Amino acid sequence: VCLTCCSRDVMVKIDQICHKNSVKFFTGDVFGYHGYMFADLGEHEFVEEKTKVAKASPGVEDGPDTKKAKLDSSETTMVKKRVIFCQLKEALAVDWRGEKAAVALKRTAPDYFLLQ
């Protein structure tokens, strides 16, 4: 389900229905130069391709780069990952009082507050 140009109450209600029924939910809007996008994918499983890291041989020395691990782009592995997304209601219910909130506020984009 994709929503745009909806009130906060409508977005929260539809997200709750989607989350309950394991339906993926996206919402977003744009206000001039600013905008937001939110995704509730519930439990989302995906596969990520990782490049294997080849360790340098202990007998070979090429200077300072020998300490760094080298990437071998020819060898990759597929890693299965699982992410649990939060609901819109939870994302909007942040308590901005306290020390943890002050740290989180520095990392929060100002656009988050457009939705508030």
Side-chain angles (χ1 to χ4, degrees):
V1 173
C2 297
L3 292 180
T4 187
C5 302
C6 293
S7 70
R8 177 180 166 165
D9 294 337
V10 169
M11 290 186 291
V12 169
K13 182 158 179 81
I14 293 176
D15 179 41
Q16 288 174 335
I17 293 167
C18 289
H19 195 84
K20 180 180 176 185
N21 293 296
S22 300
V23 174
K24 297 182 182 342
F25 173 81
F26 298 89
T27 187
D29 212 339
V30 177
F31 307 100
Y33 290 111
H34 298 278
Y36 68 89
M37 190 286 265
F38 178 83
D40 178 2
L41 304 179
E43 290 187 28
H44 182 67
E45 291 185 0
F46 60 98
V47 177
E48 184 176 60
E49 187 176 13
K50 293 277 191 177
T51 305
K52 285 188 177 180
V53 178
K55 295 184 180 179
S57 303
V60 178
E61 292 184 26
D62 341 318
D65 290 337
T66 57
K67 294 181 181 179
K68 296 180 182 177
K70 302 201 180 193
L71 296 178
D72 182 5
S73 60
S74 63
E75 290 189 49
T76 60
T77 58
M78 302 304 267
V79 179
K80 188 175 182 178
K81 294 192 173 188
R82 184 172 155 246
V83 178
I84 300 174
F85 286 73
C86 73
Q87 293 185 41
L88 181 60
K89 185 176 182 177
E90 295 170 15
L92 295 173
V94 175
D95 183 11
W96 292 104
R97 296 171 290 189
E99 291 178 28
K100 284 185 179 180
V103 173
L105 186 59
K106 291 178 184 175
R107 295 181 310 207
T108 303
D111 297 344
Y112 168 84
F113 298 101
L114 287 172
L115 190 53
Q116 298 292 354

